[in-house]
Amino acid sequence: MRFFEEFMTDIVSIGAEFKDKFVNIPARLPAVLEQLPTALTGFIVVLSMLAIIAIAILVFSKVMYSFSKKKGEKETVVETSANNVAGATVSGTPLADGNSAGKLDLVDVDESTAAVIMAIVSDQSGIPLNRLNFKSIKKVEDK
Amino acid sequence: MEIIQQLWQSSGFALLGWKELVMILVSFVLFYLAISKKFEPLLLVPIAFGILLANLPGADLMADPAGLFGGVAQEGAHWYDTGVLRLIYAGVKSSIFPCLIFLGIGAMTDFGPLLANPVSLLLGAAAQLGIYVAFIIALFLGFTPEEAASIGIIGGADGPTAILLTGQLADHLLAPIAVAAYSYMALIPIIQPKIMKLLTTDKERKVEMKQLRSVSKTEKIIFPIIVLVICALLIPSCASLIGMLMLGNLFKECGVTDRLSDTAQNALTNIVTILLGLTVGATANGDAFLSPDTILIIVLGLIAFSCSTAGGVLFGKLLYIVTGGKINPLIGAAGVSAVPMAARVAQVEGRKYNPTNFLLMHAMGPNVAGVIGSAVAAGFLLMMFGK
């Protein structure tokens, strides 16, 4: 009985509170207008802050590029974390179909298995094979 | 007979009210969603368990007899009389847990795609639009500016940021906001595609983007330091989140702290996730959770999330026009910081319209930019409304 009485009292009070949220919307307009500049400023701040970082990255990468050009630093390539395939990277320039570049180390893996693995990686990642660069394929023994 | 009566009266069954009963049922629903439907299980399981623990009458796991957390202190009560979950909750209240989660996120994040295409940062910023839209609507519905800011941050789609900001500004809303934030993050594959389709044309969705440029290791090492310095100098209140995020990333990229990076990515993140989820769930007591505010927070969270997605896609359309069709607007939706779910959605949607399209790496840029964007937004709101 106590359980039911408490439930009814609370439901009535929750209902009244809920109604109050919507009934008084017009009365809250001045308070909202007061906070409107804060919202606009907040969005502009986020946009500007990230724009500043973008500019900083652009400037920095230009400096790095000219510096590395001088030093002949070899750049790494962006890793394809799409499928966490170790040793497979996306090469900057696609090669003509049928061509390959670099050397592929096969450790305890025959060529046909390696071809199947490369085809699966290409299919799953959606990257054409002529854009993928495999460094090594190694058989991992079950323990 | 009297002893049995006393035993009954002091038992949880006699103390059980309808609100506790409903909250226990809510925890069961969350268990079902997490375990059976696999909705963010790593967080929803501890959150659901926290809700269950906190609503078992008489257990007093969230009791604060010494008034350490703002309650009225009882005479003779010591700090060690405080409920065990309330003590652990200090990690949320003091922002330690969200910051440590950010350390782990930083150690797991590859900023390479962002460095390769810095325009991604603007998409990440535009996808914070929902925070401010929800903030304004929440004010209309009678929430205080502090509460409205905490509700709005759901639009950032970043759980730790939402918890940190709410813990600081409106901790009585922590449970509904955390549950809403994590639920919507789990529902990204359902919510986002409709908005993406609505705001883009067939031609735009088919755009194939150019291969990303290569990024040097040095760039990746210097990036976290530059971002921290810029952000912390301009908005000092975001230094804790951005600082930890960038520290974690530096561990990952510098190449000489593999052990620290490994701990931050795995053991530390897992431990903090358990404590954070459990205590956030434990704040959901019946009185606080079963109120009109919770229903409104759930609705406002959806509005925030949808507007953020729309903001990213619309900015993507702008970039599509400005660049002469080189940017696929779908990647803008990944600007909400739910990593990597939002980027995966962009990839899946892109391939639906052009099976040879590969947008994942392009979408990862705005995706990780969204993490920085939501932390900056939280820092700004903390600066405006923090004590």
Side-chain angles (χ1 to χ4, degrees):
Chain A
M1 195 62 191
R2 174 189 64 87
F3 197 87
F4 183 71
E5 274 172 17
E6 265 180 28
F7 177 74
M8 288 312 290
T9 316
D10 287 341
I11 287 293
V12 170
S13 125
I14 287 172
E17 221 180 303
F18 201 78
K19 195 178 162 191
D20 175 67
K21 292 273 180 192
F22 290 93
V23 168
N24 292 327
I25 285 177
R28 294 184 192 118
L29 189 62
V32 175
L33 289 177
E34 201 181 306
Q35 293 297 338
L36 201 60
T38 310
L40 286 173
T41 314
F43 189 54
I44 292 166
V45 163
V46 176
L47 264 175
S48 334
M49 180 82 93
L50 269 65
I52 291 170
I53 297 172
I55 293 166
I57 292 171
L58 283 172
V59 171
F60 174 68
S61 53
K62 290 265 185 237
V63 173
M64 282 299 301
Y65 180 72
S66 57
F67 186 73
S68 64
K69 214 173 167 186
K70 281 179 192 165
K71 284 232 171 191
E73 182 183 294
K74 197 178 179 182
E75 287 184 336
T76 57
V77 287
V78 179
E79 286 175 19
T80 54
S81 56
N83 290 292
N84 285 333
V85 183
T89 54
V90 182
S91 65
T93 322
L95 295 162
D97 284 344
N99 285 358
S100 65
K103 191 181 145 208
L104 171 64
D105 289 331
L106 298 180
V107 184
D108 296 335
V109 178
D110 57 77
E111 282 186 6
S112 56
T113 310
V116 170
I117 290 169
M118 288 190 285
I120 291 169
V121 170
S122 171
D123 180 58
Q124 290 290 309
S125 63
I127 307 170
L129 264 177
N130 61 351
R131 281 187 173 186
L132 279 171
N133 178 16
F134 289 84
K135 288 175 183 168
S136 71
I137 298 175
K138 184 180 177 184
K139 186 179 179 185
V140 181
E141 293 293 342
D142 292 334
K143 287 181 182 173
Chain B
M1 193 64 193
E2 203 175 307
I3 293 171
I4 293 171
Q5 202 175 356
Q6 272 182 4
L7 193 69
W8 168 255
Q9 278 171 357
S10 62
S11 75
F13 289 106
L15 297 169
L16 195 70
W18 76 270
K19 286 184 176 177
E20 284 84 13
L21 194 64
V22 171
M23 289 312 296
I24 290 170
L25 293 175
V26 167
S27 75
F28 292 164
V29 172
L30 292 179
F31 278 131
Y32 170 74
L33 291 175
I35 297 166
S36 198
K37 298 283 175 187
K38 295 189 169 54
F39 280 3
E40 294 281 336
L42 296 180
L43 267 149
L44 277 191
V45 169
I47 286 178
F49 210 86
I51 295 174
L52 180 63
L53 280 174
N55 287 284
L56 293 173
D60 285 341
L61 292 167
M62 285 295 276
D64 181 22
L68 295 177
F69 295 86
V72 181
Q74 293 168 15
E75 207 177 310
H78 298 280
W79 72 267
Y80 46 77
D81 298 324
T82 308
V84 65
L85 291 183
R86 179 67 72 180
L87 282 175
I88 300 173
Y89 177 68
V92 177
K93 191 70 189 154
S94 62
S95 309
I96 292 173
F97 292 164
C99 287
L100 289 178
I101 293 273
F102 253 60
L103 180 77
I105 294 172
M108 289 181 232
T109 305
D110 177 10
F111 284 105
L114 181 70
L115 287 161
N117 184 16
V119 176
S120 305
L121 277 152
L122 298 177
L123 290 167
Q128 308 307 316
L129 178 71
I131 295 176
Y132 304 100
V133 174
F135 171 73
I136 293 295
I137 301 174
L139 288 171
F140 266 118
L141 292 172
F143 288 98
T144 65
E146 290 80 6
E147 291 170 340
S150 305
I151 295 166
I153 203 71
I154 299 173
D158 194 323
T161 307
I163 289 169
L164 182 137
L165 190 72
T166 311
Q168 299 282 318
L169 299 183
D171 66 347
H172 56 287
L173 298 180
L174 193 58
I177 287 176
V179 169
Y182 282 111
S183 304
Y184 289 133
M185 279 159 67
L187 292 173
I188 279 180
I190 298 168
I191 300 170
Q192 283 200 322
K194 291 176 183 68
I195 299 165
M196 292 156 92
K197 197 176 173 186
L198 188 75
L199 296 176
T200 52
T201 63
D202 237 29
K203 191 183 166 198
E204 287 167 345
R205 291 192 285 266
K206 284 178 181 166
V207 171
E208 279 188 36
M209 291 178 68
K210 210 173 72 179
Q211 186 69 43
L212 290 172
R213 75 168 175 86
S214 30
V215 176
S216 72
K217 191 169 174 63
T218 318
E219 279 177 274
K220 285 187 176 183
I221 293 171
I222 293 174
F223 172 75
I225 298 165
I226 288 182
V227 172
L228 173 64
V229 171
I230 292 174
C231 292
L233 286 179
L234 288 174
I235 302 181
S237 51
C238 72
S240 56
L241 278 181
I242 297 283
M244 296 305 266
L245 180 76
M246 295 304 156
L247 174 63
N249 191 249
L250 190 61
F251 284 160
K252 176 182 184 284
E253 300 297 351
C254 70
V256 290
T257 53
D258 288 347
R259 277 166 52 199
L260 302 184
S261 173
D262 178 55
T263 303
Q265 284 181 47
N266 301 298
L268 183 64
T269 301
N270 291 340
I271 292 168
V272 178
T273 301
I274 295 169
L275 299 177
L276 183 79
L278 195 62
T279 48
V280 164
T283 60
N285 65 59
D287 286 328
F289 201 87
L290 296 174
S291 70
D293 287 356
T294 301
I295 300 167
L296 293 175
I297 287 167
I298 302 286
V299 175
L300 286 167
L302 182 62
I303 293 171
F305 208 82
S306 306
C307 289
S308 287
T309 304
V313 175
L314 290 174
F315 202 87
K317 279 173 83 84
L318 180 69
L319 290 179
Y320 170 84
I321 296 164
V322 172
T323 59
K326 285 180 185 164
I327 289 193
N328 189 320
L330 292 181
I331 67 164
V336 297
S337 56
V339 182
M341 186 96 82
R344 278 194 204 139
V345 170
Q347 157 73 7
V348 170
E349 289 304 303
R351 288 194 83 174
K352 270 187 197 167
Y353 299 94
N354 179 357
T356 62
N357 213 350
F358 188 71
L359 291 175
L360 186 64
M361 293 312 285
H362 299 286
M364 280 308 290
N367 209 188
V368 293
V371 179
I372 301 173
S374 60
V376 171
F380 174 80
L381 293 170
L382 210 51
M383 194 171 76
M384 296 307 296
F385 303 114
K387 287 162 192 133

